[in-house]
Amino acid sequence: MATTATQDGAAATEEVKLDLFEDDDEFEEFENGEWDDKEEEDALQPWEDDWDDDDVNDDFSQQLRAELEKNDSKCAHRDANSSKFGHKEALHHNQVLGGGAGEPSMSSQDWH
Amino acid sequence: MEGSGGFVDRRLADYVSLITDSLASQDGSAFAAALAINATNSYAETVSSCLDHTKDPARILKQVDKHAPLGEMLLHHTRAMQCYHQNRYVDAYNSLEKSANAFLQEYRNWESTWAMEALHVIVYALRTVGEMADREMAMNGKAPDKLKGAGSFLMKVFGAIQGKGPKRVGALYVTCQLFKIYFKLGTVHMCRSVIRSIDTSRFFDFEDFPAKDRVTYMYYTGRLEVFNDNVSAADRKLTYALERCDPFKKANIRMILKYLVPVRLALGVLPKESLLTKYNLSEYIDVVRALKRGDVRLLRRALKANENNFFRSGVYLVLEKLESHVYRRLLRKIYNIQKQRDPGRAHQVRMEVILKAMKWLEVDMDMDEVECSMAILIHKALMKGYFSHKSRVVVLSKQDPFPKLAGRQQQ
């Protein structure tokens, strides 16, 4: 096919072109013949529509509650010295984004 | 295979006898098996070696004309087999299309449907050999057009059998082969005309088609509904396919679920984690968790982590729209937390509390954007209540502030 010198380039083009030929989810052909519908109801059973409950005892809800209860008395205004605003993770995230030394990005937003 | 020319001639004659016998007894399976090119037990290799050494194949092949005028067809078809066996796919496709053309002209006149299986074998070969021919063309730096040609030809086949009459029963198979071609080429808009023909038929009940074709048809049309954001229709069709799919075809079940899961999430129905694990759909696990928790951060992470996968399959937009549902769940959690502390005032949720939660979840929003999100939730009837911009409070309805989701049309 291609010489060694141009092989990489040719292979890359080939890959790009072949990529265009694919449908990742092409259904497989069925062999002839019928099958028993009721064999495996597996894929039909495990769905739930009653998950939307009022339970707040899970981990996430507990963390949320703890978060909301922090600085409750001060929540009317932002304290610039407060570094406890949110998870350490969130702090790190803000810093990584270059949003200033842990200062919440909305500190300059209107609060009135 | 060197040797007496007579030996090779006899082998070719044997092949022809296979065909003439099947024609005489109207044995659909035998006829189909004789014509198959890229099946496991195909005669391609045998026929190919015969043609390599037979001096006058046409003379032998034309024997079939005593039973049915398929001599010319066989000439092209055996040539296609020879080219295929020699890995010359463009040549194979070209001969195959000539064979198919000759066969179709004759088949149109046959009243009975006994040879439908053979027609399907040819249709399948056109698509698969067309794909291989396109790859060959691409590798040789040419713009591929054989698969597209196969698509055009299959439309002709569809037209020939889809009208009134018993042959219509084979039309859904051809439709599904066309779907595979159009999806592969990325020309899915071309599915429209065959879909219209199947859906609006006055001559046929959809349920009269073979189950395997109905499942495949609903899978592809279900996918199209997902692309067009018709969530209810997608649910109906993909569920139909799921309920009737051969349970041993795990790969196909997985593909159906891959599209059905996001659709059902949009309708408020969640798959159990065991289902996702069983069918190797772990990319949805965090999405489901995020919905259950009300964890916007987790949803965004899950979408980001599987971005390419979701984009390629076309479910990204459906999943992205789930963010409203996650906000709703978060609000519900906040409401219930407040209820535990102070039941009398729980239905009043201060914006700054919501903002606090958003910040915790690394959602970069200001007060106005939070208000906007709340307004959207109310507008979509995901939440009942109103908000006071002046007091910066969401006032939830005291009765059923979070109406049940399940089964409702996604907005």
Side-chain angles (χ1 to χ4, degrees):
Chain A
M1 227 170 65
T3 65
T4 23
T6 54
Q7 213 156 38
D8 279 346
T13 332
E14 184 186 309
E15 258 176 53
V16 166
K17 278 189 183 154
L18 287 180
D19 198 49
L20 297 174
F21 292 90
E22 296 316 305
D23 172 20
D24 293 342
D25 301 316
E26 184 174 292
F27 227 45
E28 290 178 6
E29 297 279 319
F30 289 104
E31 290 74 42
N32 283 327
E34 304 296 315
W35 52 79
D36 187 2
D37 268 350
K38 296 304 161 201
E39 263 291 334
E40 229 181 70
E41 295 266 340
D42 241 20
L44 298 170
Q45 299 300 8
W47 298 86
E48 36 189 3
D49 63 356
D50 56 354
W51 53 276
D52 187 28
D53 53 24
D54 291 319
D55 178 31
V56 284
N57 293 319
D58 58 291
D59 284 347
F60 180 80
S61 303
Q62 309 238 9
Q63 287 170 28
L64 176 61
R65 180 190 288 115
E67 191 58 36
L68 296 180
E69 282 168 4
K70 273 187 201 166
N71 301 325
D72 230 352
S73 52
K74 298 195 199 117
C75 70
H77 46 264
R78 289 285 147 248
D79 187 340
N81 293 326
S82 166
S83 60
K84 295 190 194 61
F85 187 71
H87 261 197
K88 286 206 178 85
E89 236 186 290
L91 258 182
H92 174 72
H93 185 81
N94 280 336
Q95 283 166 344
V96 165
L97 288 181
E103 196 55 43
S105 60
M106 34 65 68
S107 60
S108 60
Q109 303 297 327
D110 59 60
W111 269 100
H112 16 271
Chain B
M1 174 195 79
E2 218 62 70
S4 131
F7 177 72
V8 177
D9 286 4
R10 265 200 303 280
R11 284 187 67 185
L12 191 59
D14 285 345
Y15 175 71
V16 176
S17 298
L18 260 177
I19 293 185
T20 52
D21 286 351
S22 69
L23 286 171
S25 56
Q26 298 198 341
D27 184 346
S29 298
F31 190 33
L35 295 176
I37 294 189
N38 47 350
T40 23
N41 298 321
S42 93
Y43 289 89
E45 187 176 344
T46 311
V47 166
S48 179
S49 64
C50 288
L51 286 190
D52 286 344
H53 299 96
T54 304
K55 286 204 189 76
D56 187 5
R59 181 183 57 82
I60 300 171
L61 294 171
K62 287 220 183 277
Q63 296 299 307
V64 77
D65 287 337
K66 292 177 188 162
H67 289 82
L70 296 175
E72 195 194 319
M73 178 227 172
L74 270 192
L75 204 56
H76 293 303
H77 202 84
T78 50
R79 192 156 302 144
M81 285 174 151
Q82 184 185 32
C83 294
Y84 180 86
H85 181 69
Q86 293 170 358
N87 302 321
R88 292 185 288 127
Y89 300 116
V90 174
D91 292 338
Y93 177 82
N94 290 336
S95 292
L96 182 58
E97 202 184 279
K98 290 188 182 130
S99 156
N101 211 18
F103 179 68
L104 188 62
Q105 278 181 34
E106 178 54 23
Y107 183 71
R108 279 181 203 268
N109 306 324
W110 295 2
E111 297 216 0
S112 159
T113 59
W114 75 267
M116 184 61 71
E117 200 183 327
L119 180 68
H120 286 175
V121 157
I122 292 174
V123 161
Y124 175 80
L126 279 165
R127 176 174 69 83
T128 50
V129 176
E131 282 174 23
M132 295 163 97
D134 271 5
R135 257 189 285 259
E136 185 179 300
M137 289 178 84
M139 284 200 283
N140 295 330
K142 297 204 184 87
D145 63 359
K146 296 305 176 189
L147 188 59
K148 188 168 175 213
S152 300
F153 189 83
L154 258 53
M155 276 305 285
K156 266 206 310 193
V157 174
F158 180 79
I161 62 178
Q162 62 86 38
K164 211 167 28 164
K167 285 185 194 160
R168 184 174 173 83
V169 74
L172 201 61
Y173 178 82
V174 180
T175 304
C176 293
Q177 295 297 311
L178 274 165
F179 283 165
K180 291 186 179 183
I181 291 177
Y182 294 145
F183 271 73
K184 191 148 214 148
L185 292 174
T187 55
V188 296
H189 60 282
M190 299 197 62
C191 297
R192 210 177 302 144
S193 64
V194 283
I195 290 174
R196 198 181 315 129
S197 176
I198 298 288
D199 283 354
T200 62
S201 168
R202 286 170 287 137
F203 308 127
F204 228 82
D205 188 5
F206 184 73
E207 294 300 314
D208 291 336
F209 289 115
K212 65 182 181 67
D213 297 334
R214 283 184 279 128
V215 169
T216 308
Y217 181 83
M218 284 299 193
Y219 166 72
Y220 280 103
T221 52
R223 278 177 70 181
L224 288 173
E225 298 287 5
V226 174
F227 292 161
N228 294 325
D229 213 15
N230 299 329
V231 169
S232 293
D235 183 35
R236 203 174 13 97
K237 294 182 183 183
L238 292 169
T239 299
Y240 181 103
L242 185 65
E243 285 171 351
R244 290 158 187 75
C245 186
D246 180 351
F248 289 106
K249 280 286 204 183
K250 299 282 189 211
N252 283 354
I253 292 182
R254 177 183 183 274
M255 280 184 240
I256 297 171
L257 285 172
K258 185 173 174 183
Y259 292 92
L260 185 58
V261 167
V263 162
R264 288 210 173 161
L265 292 181
L267 292 169
V269 179
L270 270 44
K272 296 203 176 128
E273 209 162 294
S274 55
L275 179 67
L276 297 177
T277 315
K278 176 172 180 176
Y279 288 100
N280 194 21
L281 291 169
S282 54
E283 61 262 34
Y284 292 129
I285 288 180
D286 275 351
V287 176
V288 174
R289 279 186 190 155
L291 267 170
K292 273 191 187 166
R293 286 186 200 168
D295 190 343
V296 185
R297 175 173 47 193
L298 185 60
L299 179 71
R300 289 182 175 188
R301 273 191 196 154
L303 288 185
K304 186 87 185 118
N306 298 290
E307 219 170 31
N308 293 328
N309 184 351
F310 293 154
F311 266 124
R312 276 180 79 89
S313 52
V315 298
Y316 189 88
L317 289 178
V318 175
L319 292 170
E320 198 185 42
K321 283 188 185 174
L322 292 174
E323 200 164 91
S324 312
H325 291 237
V326 179
Y327 285 146
R328 171 193 172 280
R329 187 85 182 125
L330 180 65
L331 257 295
R332 188 171 188 150
K333 292 256 164 118
I334 294 175
Y335 168 66
N336 281 307
I337 287 170
Q338 289 190 170
K339 222 174 178 185
Q340 280 185 347
R341 270 194 298 173
D342 186 358
R345 304 247 309 266
H347 64 287
Q348 292 180 31
V349 183
R350 294 202 311 278
M351 293 292 194
E352 57 207 8
V353 171
I354 302 171
L355 192 63
K356 208 177 193 179
M358 295 298 192
K359 286 291 166 186
W360 175 56
L361 292 170
E362 296 170 32
V363 177
D364 187 17
M365 269 190 186
D366 64 21
M367 190 63 98
D368 289 337
E369 286 162 335
V370 171
E371 273 192 18
C372 193
S373 302
M374 297 302 107
I376 290 173
L377 287 185
I378 294 169
H379 171 74
K380 286 185 176 180
L382 292 172
M383 198 166 76
K384 283 199 333 213
Y386 66 92
F387 72 85
S388 161
H389 172 79
K390 204 160 154 205
S391 327
R392 304 285 192 174
V393 164
V394 173
V395 181
L396 295 170
S397 164
K398 283 193 180 165
Q399 283 225 4
D400 194 28
F402 298 99
K404 190 161 162 63
L405 278 175
R408 58 190 293 287
Q409 170 85 46
Q410 187 209 32
Q411 284 169 44

